[in-house]
Amino acid sequence: MSAAADPQAKFRYVLRLGDLSLVLGQRLGEWVGHAPALEEDLGLANIALDLIGQARLLLSYAGEIEGCGRSEDDIAYLRGQGEYLNAVLAEQPNGDFGQTIVRQVLIDAFQTELYERLAASTDERLAAIAAKSVKETRYHLRYSGSWLVRLGDGTEKSHALTQAALERLWPYTVELFAEDDLDRAMADCGLAPRLAEVHAAWDARLDDLLSLATLKRPGDRAHSWHGKRGRHSEHLGYLLAEMQHLQRTFPGARW
Amino acid sequence: MDDNRSWPLYEVFVRARGGLDHKHVGSLHAADERMAIEHARDLYTRRQEGVSIWVVPSKAITASDPGETESLFEPARDKIYRHPTFYDIPDEVKTL
Amino acid sequence: MYTQELDVRGADSAAAADPGVLEQHFLARVDAEQKIEPKEWMPPRYRSMLIRQISQHAHSEIVGMLPEGNWITRAPTLRRKAILIAKVQDEAGHGAYLYSAAETLGVSRDELIDQLLSGKAKYSSIFNYPTTTWADVGAIGWLVDGAAIMNQIPLCRCSYGPYARAMVRICREESFHQRQGFDLMLHLARGTAEQKAMAQDALNRWWWPALMMFGPPDASSTHSGESQRWKIKRISNDELRQKFVDFTVPQAKFLGLDVPDPLLHWNEALQRHDFGPIDWNEFEQVLKGNGPCNAERLAARRSAHAEGAWVREAASAHAAKQRLRATRHAA
């Protein structure tokens, strides 16, 4: 049961984690200077900073596993779109503050449950990264969860906007828990938790939060997003074009 | 300014390290106490400057009136026996 | 120090409500380097001058988030991205500290923000210039934050307690801002020919606006007299500007970049750099609202404020609901 993980597989798994934080952090970076209040500029920037930090740790590690000498920046900036393995939920546009908060809660709850279990990974490095990251992610969930409740149980307008955002983003959550061969292989060797377990815990948290926020849980819809396998929505292309621009324009330059 | 839209002012007190008192560090606006704590954490402890935060609605604080300094603090001025310099301690007793 | 404090309080007890006497005592305290705290007596013009200066400073921090925030999504490495987010986050924080300090003078943050968004309030001219290249981020850190630090350090000794304390906090955080800007420029200056050209171009565009940050020449500065008497402003515009030039020119030399001033030269007799004339007309125009980005900056802030209104209202509404539930529960 504890076969050592195949490096290629481990590499892809760590990329999934790192890219999720990278892309979500990139999205939050767009808010700075435009948030509804000064305090939210600070709050969102704080989360963005943590996520970029997680991306750096994870992508560095991925580079080491791969063993071809790629740095965190080589991996972050110089891959083609099909090589990014984040779930597509992260790349969805910010929209209004409500949409940003809904996206944040869905992913914060996922990362919290995932990292809590990853802290017991058979891979020491991953366990250490998860143990550090879960402290940050619990705070992110506190922040986004509080806002979900304020917006859901605030004014009629905020309730409507937030419910609409929830309906729009809910279909993307299916991908978070769709277990494929890679997820199974990582769970089999104790490197990662069973996604079903993470899903159950996530469900419970969401039910609590949605109830407090007086929001209705949308029905599940069949969908076929596979960002985890490099098949993305239209949004990632634009995001990467902006993110990669300088590195692509000045190949080999150091910054 | 519509009451519904403005967030009240809170005063923030931070204990930098165990063993120290909470110190007043400034103020911030928040809609409720929970938000005030979160904002205080993001605003005043970004560089790990705190282990404990208190937030108090500014209007809950009662301050002494600067115009009353005389009656509030003057009487204390005459009671110089509270100050260590009033006492002549022999040189031999160095630790006092 | 303790004794000194008591002596001055003793003098207060003799003061009638005569404003002339109150002002004399106020001046005596200021001269004695004592801090004036909220709700203590102060000349009305001292109060209004402080509100104007502190709020302008706060507005500058907020607007200043925009030209740099522009580049967060395009930062060329993850480390630079993180540094830039942290820097801009600090600026939001500085704005918050400063609004807090202004509020101790009896004005509300909402009022001050309304003044900014309506175009009535001023903010530092420098943020009305565009950041068109990555090197601009470095130039801002190196030159703009450098100039700001020079202005801000004397303010840590300003006579008004809350402003002085906010400045101490800000200065502590600011030192990393300038260093990261210089470090960024250094990497460019030592990089490829294109990167070095990018750095030189940024210096060419930001040098003169940075010098203008210190304000008009002493001779034409209207508020300086009282401001210095009351220890709000502690060093003159020209003096600070000269100091900045003398500090920064050797730094440019170290970077291997040319300061865009053909008249710049070392004055051996006076032991300082003489420099060329500043285009005060450009400064006037930018202050009036005719700079390259004034309209955009204000539009961005108005937008954020307007689009965020429903969010702020929701938070207030939720808080009100919670209070109602708490009282019902207690009943």
Side-chain angles (χ1 to χ4, degrees):
Chain A
M1 241 326 99
S2 306
D6 156 44
Q8 248 303 328
K10 204 155 81 157
F11 172 70
R12 290 177 64 79
Y13 183 74
V14 174
L15 275 189
R16 282 181 177 179
L17 301 177
D19 286 341
L20 184 65
S21 292
L22 175 67
V23 171
L24 187 57
Q26 176 75 0
R27 276 298 186 215
L28 289 180
E30 295 169 20
W31 268 109
V32 185
H34 306 282
L38 204 46
E39 288 79 8
E40 304 333 307
D41 279 311
L42 276 156
L44 292 174
N46 169 61
I47 300 179
L49 216 42
D50 285 345
L51 289 169
I52 298 298
Q54 287 170 22
R56 294 184 66 191
L57 290 175
L58 290 162
L59 297 186
S60 290
Y61 185 36
E64 285 171 41
I65 296 169
E66 189 192 38
C68 298
R70 283 208 282 179
S71 69
E72 71 192 35
D73 289 323
D74 292 330
I75 294 178
Y77 288 85
L78 299 176
R79 283 178 290 160
Q81 192 186 146
E83 295 167 81
Y84 286 82
L85 305 183
N86 56 287
V88 303
L89 177 57
E91 72 207 40
Q92 299 313 302
N94 288 332
D96 59 30
F97 188 73
Q99 179 155 315
T100 289
I101 287 297
V102 169
R103 183 189 61 202
Q104 199 59 42
V105 170
L106 298 173
I107 297 180
D108 285 341
F110 172 69
Q111 286 187 321
T112 298
E113 297 303 337
L114 179 65
Y115 288 154
E116 262 170 20
R117 289 161 179 79
L118 262 181
S121 173
T122 50
D123 182 302
E124 270 177 33
R125 181 79 160 268
L126 211 48
I129 294 175
K132 175 185 194 286
S133 304
V134 75
K135 293 184 200 143
E136 297 169 348
T137 308
R138 284 193 193 117
Y139 184 76
H140 302 169
L141 184 56
R142 184 197 152 107
Y143 177 89
S144 59
S146 302
W147 268 110
L148 188 74
V149 172
R150 286 182 202 116
L151 297 180
D153 188 25
T155 61
E156 272 179 44
K157 176 171 182 176
S158 70
H159 179 89
L161 286 173
T162 312
Q163 184 69 47
L166 190 60
E167 303 285 340
R168 205 176 305 126
L169 293 177
W170 192 259
Y172 299 108
T173 60
V174 179
E175 188 195 1
L176 293 175
F177 307 107
E179 194 186 52
D180 63 5
D181 289 340
L182 180 54
D183 293 313
R184 258 186 295 274
M186 293 298 105
D188 284 347
C189 67
L191 191 136
R194 295 269 166 223
L195 268 183
E197 229 185 273
V198 178
H199 194 184
W202 180 90
D203 257 335
R205 275 198 195 267
L206 258 298
D207 279 341
D208 280 342
L209 272 173
L210 291 177
S211 159
L212 275 172
T214 72
L215 293 166
K216 232 178 22 148
R217 186 183 165 122
D220 284 325
R221 297 209 305 266
H223 90 117
S224 53
W225 293 112
H226 300 292
K228 282 161 60 171
R229 279 184 253 157
R231 292 213 286 274
H232 291 277
S233 68
E234 290 179 351
H235 302 291
L236 190 64
Y238 291 103
L239 184 151
L240 293 179
E242 202 174 320
M243 193 179 86
Q244 297 185 350
H245 169 76
L246 274 176
Q247 285 244 5
R248 296 284 189 193
T249 312
F250 300 96
R254 294 183 59 223
W255 304 93
Chain B
M1 179 49 52
D2 187 343
D3 261 7
N4 267 350
R5 285 193 287 135
S6 47
W7 293 351
L9 195 61
Y10 287 81
E11 299 301 325
V12 181
F13 303 81
V14 175
R15 192 205 305 281
R17 275 187 312 283
L20 300 176
D21 287 319
H22 281 79
K23 201 176 124 195
H24 181 241
V25 290
S27 62
L28 53 81
H29 287 272
D32 57 54
E33 271 77 27
R34 192 178 161 94
M35 192 193 280
I37 292 275
E38 284 156 19
H39 286 168
R41 178 226 189 245
D42 288 335
L43 186 55
Y44 290 108
T45 68
R46 271 202 305 292
R47 286 164 165 76
Q48 281 136 6
E49 306 108 301
V51 300
S52 169
I53 297 174
W54 288 349
V55 292
V56 183
S58 304
K59 65 178 198 278
I61 294 183
T62 304
S64 59
D65 186 342
E68 286 179 281
T69 359
E70 188 187 314
S71 55
L72 268 181
F73 300 110
E74 268 282 297
R77 186 170 177 252
D78 294 333
K79 298 179 174 55
I80 53 178
Y81 49 77
R82 285 206 184 87
H83 303 305
T85 49
F86 177 74
Y87 302 97
D88 270 321
I89 306 290
D91 285 331
E92 297 83 45
V93 189
K94 292 195 199 313
T95 50
L96 279 172
Chain C
M1 171 74 150
Y2 200 113
T3 333
Q4 191 188 43
E5 195 76 72
L6 293 174
D7 282 345
V8 178
R9 280 212 190 96
D12 275 353
S13 65
D18 180 350
V21 182
L22 284 171
E23 175 143 4
Q24 266 187 49
H25 286 302
F26 167 82
L27 286 174
R29 294 182 61 204
V30 168
D31 287 342
E33 294 291 342
Q34 285 170 18
K35 296 287 179 243
I36 309 299
E37 296 294 346
K39 288 181 70 183
E40 286 173 354
W41 190 90
M42 57 185 76
R45 271 188 55 74
Y46 177 84
R47 179 177 168 269
S48 60
M49 190 173 275
L50 274 172
I51 289 177
R52 193 181 53 91
Q53 179 164 326
I54 299 174
S55 61
Q56 276 179 18
H57 196 164
H59 298 326
S60 299
E61 296 282 353
I62 302 315
V63 176
M65 292 169 69
L66 296 170
E68 291 174 285
N70 267 346
W71 280 91
I72 288 174
T73 53
R74 290 175 290 171
T77 68
L78 294 183
R79 182 172 164 265
R80 291 286 176 202
K81 195 189 290 282
I83 288 171
L84 190 52
I85 294 174
K87 178 176 197 283
V88 178
Q89 187 190 31
D90 274 353
E91 277 150 27
H94 296 173
Y97 302 150
L98 290 164
Y99 284 127
S100 289
E103 284 186 293
T104 64
L105 289 161
V107 67
S108 81
R109 190 172 97 178
D110 283 337
E111 270 176 74
L112 296 175
I113 291 184
D114 279 345
Q115 284 168 16
L116 172 67
L117 299 183
S118 67
K120 260 192 295 178
K122 295 210 187 93
Y123 55 88
S124 185
S125 54
I126 194 76
F127 300 118
N128 293 311
Y129 292 86
T131 47
T132 49
T133 76
W134 175 246
D136 289 41
V137 174
I140 288 182
W142 172 39
L143 300 174
V144 175
D145 285 307
I149 289 172
M150 210 144 259
N151 251 328
Q152 282 165 185
I153 289 182
L155 285 173
C156 295
R157 295 180 295 124
C158 151
S159 55
Y160 188 58
Y163 191 22
R165 288 190 289 276
M167 292 316 306
V168 169
R169 193 170 254 283
I170 289 173
C171 282
R172 246 198 326 228
E173 300 182 355
E174 199 86 37
S175 57
F176 119 77
H177 294 185
Q178 190 189 21
R179 254 180 282 134
Q180 68 81 37
F182 187 77
D183 179 65
L184 195 159
M185 293 299 271
L186 192 57
H187 274 73
L188 295 177
R190 290 182 176 169
T192 66
E194 286 164 312
Q195 284 178 302
K196 183 157 185 189
M198 197 196 288
Q200 181 63 61
D201 172 65
L203 175 54
N204 292 346
R205 284 180 290 104
W206 288 92
W207 175 256
W208 292 104
L211 293 194
M212 292 178 205
M213 281 179 73
F214 296 96
D218 295 345
S220 50
S221 192
T222 45
H223 295 287
S224 282
E226 258 176 339
S227 188
Q228 291 193 270
R229 180 70 187 85
W230 288 332
K231 302 206 175 165
I232 297 176
K233 182 176 195 38
R234 308 219 49 160
I235 308 184
S236 82
N237 292 353
D238 287 337
E239 227 182 300
L240 285 172
R241 190 176 2 251
Q242 183 63 55
K243 231 172 113 176
F244 175 75
V245 171
D246 291 333
F247 263 58
T248 314
V249 168
Q251 291 170 353
K253 200 174 257 155
F254 182 83
L255 289 172
L257 300 176
D258 301 315
V259 172
D261 181 355
L263 296 178
L264 180 73
H265 67 275
W266 178 248
N267 184 324
E268 187 59 37
L270 294 174
Q271 287 292 296
R272 66 169 199 219
H273 293 90
D274 287 341
F275 51 94
I278 293 174
D279 181 356
W280 291 112
N281 190 44
E282 178 182 327
F283 181 67
E284 284 299 303
Q285 288 305 317
V286 173
L287 278 188
K288 275 206 189 88
N290 300 323
C293 296
N294 296 61
E296 278 176 55
R297 299 291 181 236
L298 221 46
R301 290 309 308 158
R302 283 182 187 139
S303 214
H305 195 75
E307 283 163 24
W310 71 271
V311 174
R312 297 189 298 273
E313 280 171 42
S316 297
H318 179 74
K321 286 185 189 178
Q322 293 294 84
R323 282 193 298 272
L324 204 55
R325 288 169 190 146
T327 48
R328 282 205 187 117
H329 197 74

